[in-house]
Amino acid sequence: MNEFGLIERYFDWPAPQGVLGVGDDAALFEVAPGKQLAVSADMLIEGRHFFADADPGCLARKALAVNLSDLAAMGAEPRWFTLSLALPQIDTRWLEAFSRGLRGMAEEYGVVLVGGDTTRGPLTLSIQIMGEIERGTALLRSGGLPGDDLWVSGPLGAAAAAVMQRLGRAVLSPGSQAYCDLRLDLPEPRLLLGQRLRGLASAALDISDGLVGDAGHIGERSGCGVEIWREQVPFPREIAELPPALLHEAILAGGDDYELCFTAPAVRREAIEVLALELGLPLVRVGRLVAGQGVRVLDATDVEVTLTRSGFDHFSSV
Ligand code: ADP
Ligand code: MG
């Protein structure tokens, strides 16, 4: 099978009316009047973002999930995506499972594969996702103001705990491990939340590299400092068994949770609490924006704590 046969067999799915998808030199589709196109890309590389033995179906779903999460963080509605693949060889069993997982996930979230690129090389998956958003309503990182509350959309640290377990840094009980593995392998993009936060949140992003580092991005882009109250940061009971140092690392600096982190003025608290009930999501206040710059993490007695790691920086770690 050559490259063209491969594309036709695994990635040429029927495109809906009005979309020119896989098969031509470029895809064509319409953005609705009054809407902006939101575009984001995320690349996953074997050995860095996933383990070599990762299940191809899970991998496909995760690759799409992390892209969907970026659009969630903007408040956008995902519509179309492209897939660029580097494959070391044509492994039909791998491709079969990968494309089945990808197609299932795409159908579940209503996004259409419109094109991509395929080449030989070390296993790399790159997805570019495109969505629509009402002009001028996107949730930017730059909209926060001193005094705004800092919120997260759910418990943090489980994905990091799964990585710790796989690297032999932590031991989880089997039940806890299953939960943490699921959080790592299949993060749930908070699409509905992102869309409903338009008009409520002043700034937002998704937590891919750890709360401290990511909240720091909101601070930087908003020209504010960030205060995080460590004891308020929610975590699942499945990781309560970790030693405190690892637990703190997981919830503050652990990547891969893909919960949303957002800021909002205090007058929005009630509306956000109502939204939490409506969506069945535990939205929790974990800090605030302050005048100044940088991130300070405070313990239960308001004493600043220092971190062993402040999120993963892909160029300085490893
Ligand atoms: P070109 O040489 O013009 O770039 P390609 O041969 O790379 O075209 O691709 C042919 C068609 O297949 C294009 O429509 C392209 O978008 C699509 N395509 C290539 N690789 C993939 C992939 N991995 N997933 C989905 N579509 C793909
Ligand atoms: Mg090409």
Side-chain angles (χ1 to χ4, degrees), residues 159-178:
V163 173
M164 288 172 175
Q165 212 270 344
R166 290 180 197 185
L167 296 176
R169 295 182 61 210
V171 180
L172 296 164
S173 65
S176 301
Q177 193 192 331

PDB file of all heavy atoms in Angstrom, residues 159-178:
ATOM      1  N   ALA A 159      -3.793  12.898  36.170  1.00  0.00           N
ATOM      2  CA  ALA A 159      -2.987  12.528  35.008  1.00  0.00           C
ATOM      3  C   ALA A 159      -1.504  12.492  35.385  1.00  0.00           C
ATOM      4  O   ALA A 159      -0.767  11.573  34.992  1.00  0.00           O
ATOM      5  CB  ALA A 159      -3.225  13.524  33.864  1.00  0.00           C
ATOM      6  N   ALA A 160      -1.088  13.473  36.185  1.00  0.00           N
ATOM      7  CA  ALA A 160       0.311  13.501  36.616  1.00  0.00           C
ATOM      8  C   ALA A 160       0.635  12.296  37.493  1.00  0.00           C
ATOM      9  O   ALA A 160       1.722  11.718  37.399  1.00  0.00           O
ATOM     10  CB  ALA A 160       0.605  14.796  37.370  1.00  0.00           C
ATOM     11  N   ALA A 161      -0.331  11.903  38.331  1.00  0.00           N
ATOM     12  CA  ALA A 161      -0.111  10.734  39.193  1.00  0.00           C
ATOM     13  C   ALA A 161       0.063   9.474  38.342  1.00  0.00           C
ATOM     14  O   ALA A 161       0.889   8.610  38.656  1.00  0.00           O
ATOM     15  CB  ALA A 161      -1.282  10.571  40.170  1.00  0.00           C
ATOM     16  N   ALA A 162      -0.700   9.375  37.249  1.00  0.00           N
ATOM     17  CA  ALA A 162      -0.556   8.215  36.355  1.00  0.00           C
ATOM     18  C   ALA A 162       0.841   8.188  35.742  1.00  0.00           C
ATOM     19  O   ALA A 162       1.460   7.123  35.628  1.00  0.00           O
ATOM     20  CB  ALA A 162      -1.619   8.249  35.269  1.00  0.00           C
ATOM     21  N   VAL A 163       1.343   9.358  35.356  1.00  0.00           N
ATOM     22  CA  VAL A 163       2.702   9.423  34.796  1.00  0.00           C
ATOM     23  C   VAL A 163       3.723   9.031  35.861  1.00  0.00           C
ATOM     24  O   VAL A 163       4.649   8.250  35.603  1.00  0.00           O
ATOM     25  CB  VAL A 163       3.015  10.833  34.247  1.00  0.00           C
ATOM     26  CG1 VAL A 163       4.475  10.935  33.824  1.00  0.00           C
ATOM     27  CG2 VAL A 163       2.107  11.154  33.059  1.00  0.00           C
ATOM     28  N   MET A 164       3.545   9.542  37.080  1.00  0.00           N
ATOM     29  CA  MET A 164       4.456   9.190  38.179  1.00  0.00           C
ATOM     30  C   MET A 164       4.471   7.684  38.392  1.00  0.00           C
ATOM     31  O   MET A 164       5.525   7.075  38.604  1.00  0.00           O
ATOM     32  CB  MET A 164       3.999   9.863  39.483  1.00  0.00           C
ATOM     33  CG  MET A 164       4.233  11.366  39.512  1.00  0.00           C
ATOM     34  SD  MET A 164       3.441  12.076  40.978  1.00  0.00           S
ATOM     35  CE  MET A 164       3.984  13.789  40.843  1.00  0.00           C
ATOM     36  N   GLN A 165       3.289   7.106  38.323  1.00  0.00           N
ATOM     37  CA  GLN A 165       3.189   5.662  38.525  1.00  0.00           C
ATOM     38  C   GLN A 165       3.917   4.910  37.412  1.00  0.00           C
ATOM     39  O   GLN A 165       4.684   4.001  37.666  1.00  0.00           O
ATOM     40  CB  GLN A 165       1.707   5.284  38.565  1.00  0.00           C
ATOM     41  CG  GLN A 165       1.374   4.106  39.454  1.00  0.00           C
ATOM     42  CD  GLN A 165       1.445   2.805  38.685  1.00  0.00           C
ATOM     43  OE1 GLN A 165       1.441   2.814  37.454  1.00  0.00           O
ATOM     44  NE2 GLN A 165       1.525   1.702  39.413  1.00  0.00           N
ATOM     45  N   ARG A 166       3.712   5.351  36.162  1.00  0.00           N
ATOM     46  CA  ARG A 166       4.343   4.660  35.029  1.00  0.00           C
ATOM     47  C   ARG A 166       5.859   4.812  35.048  1.00  0.00           C
ATOM     48  O   ARG A 166       6.583   3.952  34.552  1.00  0.00           O
ATOM     49  CB  ARG A 166       3.772   5.189  33.708  1.00  0.00           C
ATOM     50  CG  ARG A 166       2.328   4.741  33.512  1.00  0.00           C
ATOM     51  CD  ARG A 166       1.729   5.245  32.210  1.00  0.00           C
ATOM     52  NE  ARG A 166       0.266   5.145  32.276  1.00  0.00           N
ATOM     53  CZ  ARG A 166      -0.553   5.411  31.268  1.00  0.00           C
ATOM     54  NH1 ARG A 166      -0.071   5.806  30.097  1.00  0.00           N
ATOM     55  NH2 ARG A 166      -1.860   5.297  31.414  1.00  0.00           N
ATOM     56  N   LEU A 167       6.331   5.923  35.615  1.00  0.00           N
ATOM     57  CA  LEU A 167       7.781   6.136  35.675  1.00  0.00           C
ATOM     58  C   LEU A 167       8.398   5.555  36.944  1.00  0.00           C
ATOM     59  O   LEU A 167       9.578   5.727  37.207  1.00  0.00           O
ATOM     60  CB  LEU A 167       8.098   7.636  35.594  1.00  0.00           C
ATOM     61  CG  LEU A 167       7.716   8.334  34.276  1.00  0.00           C
ATOM     62  CD1 LEU A 167       8.008   9.830  34.371  1.00  0.00           C
ATOM     63  CD2 LEU A 167       8.442   7.715  33.084  1.00  0.00           C
ATOM     64  N   GLY A 168       7.564   4.909  37.772  1.00  0.00           N
ATOM     65  CA  GLY A 168       8.079   4.295  38.992  1.00  0.00           C
ATOM     66  C   GLY A 168       8.342   5.290  40.108  1.00  0.00           C
ATOM     67  O   GLY A 168       9.037   4.986  41.075  1.00  0.00           O
ATOM     68  N   ARG A 169       7.769   6.501  40.008  1.00  0.00           N
ATOM     69  CA  ARG A 169       7.980   7.498  41.058  1.00  0.00           C
ATOM     70  C   ARG A 169       6.931   7.411  42.152  1.00  0.00           C
ATOM     71  O   ARG A 169       7.091   7.980  43.234  1.00  0.00           O
ATOM     72  CB  ARG A 169       7.935   8.907  40.465  1.00  0.00           C
ATOM     73  CG  ARG A 169       9.048   9.217  39.480  1.00  0.00           C
ATOM     74  CD  ARG A 169       8.942  10.661  39.001  1.00  0.00           C
ATOM     75  NE  ARG A 169       9.077  11.602  40.101  1.00  0.00           N
ATOM     76  CZ  ARG A 169       8.496  12.802  40.139  1.00  0.00           C
ATOM     77  NH1 ARG A 169       7.756  13.205  39.135  1.00  0.00           N
ATOM     78  NH2 ARG A 169       8.679  13.600  41.171  1.00  0.00           N
ATOM     79  N   ALA A 170       5.813   6.752  41.854  1.00  0.00           N
ATOM     80  CA  ALA A 170       4.735   6.658  42.835  1.00  0.00           C
ATOM     81  C   ALA A 170       4.068   5.301  42.701  1.00  0.00           C
ATOM     82  O   ALA A 170       4.155   4.661  41.659  1.00  0.00           O
ATOM     83  CB  ALA A 170       3.708   7.761  42.586  1.00  0.00           C
ATOM     84  N   VAL A 171       3.427   4.886  43.791  1.00  0.00           N
ATOM     85  CA  VAL A 171       2.684   3.628  43.753  1.00  0.00           C
ATOM     86  C   VAL A 171       1.230   3.940  44.071  1.00  0.00           C
ATOM     87  O   VAL A 171       0.928   4.539  45.100  1.00  0.00           O
ATOM     88  CB  VAL A 171       3.232   2.622  44.787  1.00  0.00           C
ATOM     89  CG1 VAL A 171       2.443   1.323  44.719  1.00  0.00           C
ATOM     90  CG2 VAL A 171       4.716   2.375  44.552  1.00  0.00           C
ATOM     91  N   LEU A 172       0.343   3.574  43.152  1.00  0.00           N
ATOM     92  CA  LEU A 172      -1.086   3.783  43.362  1.00  0.00           C
ATOM     93  C   LEU A 172      -1.750   2.423  43.532  1.00  0.00           C
ATOM     94  O   LEU A 172      -1.296   1.436  42.953  1.00  0.00           O
ATOM     95  CB  LEU A 172      -1.703   4.482  42.152  1.00  0.00           C
ATOM     96  CG  LEU A 172      -1.220   5.900  41.836  1.00  0.00           C
ATOM     97  CD1 LEU A 172      -1.619   6.301  40.424  1.00  0.00           C
ATOM     98  CD2 LEU A 172      -1.776   6.897  42.846  1.00  0.00           C
ATOM     99  N   SER A 173      -2.829   2.387  44.299  1.00  0.00           N
ATOM    100  CA  SER A 173      -3.588   1.135  44.404  1.00  0.00           C
ATOM    101  C   SER A 173      -4.243   0.878  43.045  1.00  0.00           C
ATOM    102  O   SER A 173      -4.457   1.815  42.273  1.00  0.00           O
ATOM    103  CB  SER A 173      -4.643   1.267  45.493  1.00  0.00           C
ATOM    104  OG  SER A 173      -5.578   2.241  45.116  1.00  0.00           O
ATOM    105  N   PRO A 174      -4.569  -0.378  42.732  1.00  0.00           N
ATOM    106  CA  PRO A 174      -5.099  -0.691  41.399  1.00  0.00           C
ATOM    107  C   PRO A 174      -6.318   0.141  41.004  1.00  0.00           C
ATOM    108  O   PRO A 174      -6.408   0.619  39.870  1.00  0.00           O
ATOM    109  CB  PRO A 174      -5.449  -2.176  41.502  1.00  0.00           C
ATOM    110  CG  PRO A 174      -4.557  -2.699  42.586  1.00  0.00           C
ATOM    111  CD  PRO A 174      -4.371  -1.583  43.550  1.00  0.00           C
ATOM    112  N   GLY A 175      -7.236   0.339  41.935  1.00  0.00           N
ATOM    113  CA  GLY A 175      -8.437   1.127  41.619  1.00  0.00           C
ATOM    114  C   GLY A 175      -8.072   2.565  41.273  1.00  0.00           C
ATOM    115  O   GLY A 175      -8.590   3.144  40.315  1.00  0.00           O
ATOM    116  N   SER A 176      -7.180   3.136  42.055  1.00  0.00           N
ATOM    117  CA  SER A 176      -6.759   4.521  41.825  1.00  0.00           C
ATOM    118  C   SER A 176      -6.013   4.630  40.510  1.00  0.00           C
ATOM    119  O   SER A 176      -6.164   5.596  39.762  1.00  0.00           O
ATOM    120  CB  SER A 176      -5.852   4.998  42.951  1.00  0.00           C
ATOM    121  OG  SER A 176      -6.532   4.914  44.176  1.00  0.00           O
ATOM    122  N   GLN A 177      -5.211   3.615  40.242  1.00  0.00           N
ATOM    123  CA  GLN A 177      -4.433   3.632  39.015  1.00  0.00           C
ATOM    124  C   GLN A 177      -5.344   3.644  37.796  1.00  0.00           C
ATOM    125  O   GLN A 177      -5.102   4.372  36.831  1.00  0.00           O
ATOM    126  CB  GLN A 177      -3.520   2.408  38.977  1.00  0.00           C
ATOM    127  CG  GLN A 177      -2.465   2.518  37.899  1.00  0.00           C
ATOM    128  CD  GLN A 177      -1.749   1.196  37.675  1.00  0.00           C
ATOM    129  OE1 GLN A 177      -1.635   0.382  38.602  1.00  0.00           O
ATOM    130  NE2 GLN A 177      -1.280   0.986  36.467  1.00  0.00           N
ATOM    131  N   ALA A 178      -6.396   2.859  37.841  1.00  0.00           N
ATOM    132  CA  ALA A 178      -7.317   2.795  36.700  1.00  0.00           C
ATOM    133  C   ALA A 178      -7.929   4.176  36.444  1.00  0.00           C
ATOM    134  O   ALA A 178      -8.015   4.639  35.306  1.00  0.00           O
ATOM    135  CB  ALA A 178      -8.407   1.763  36.968  1.00  0.00           C
TER     136      ALA A 178
END
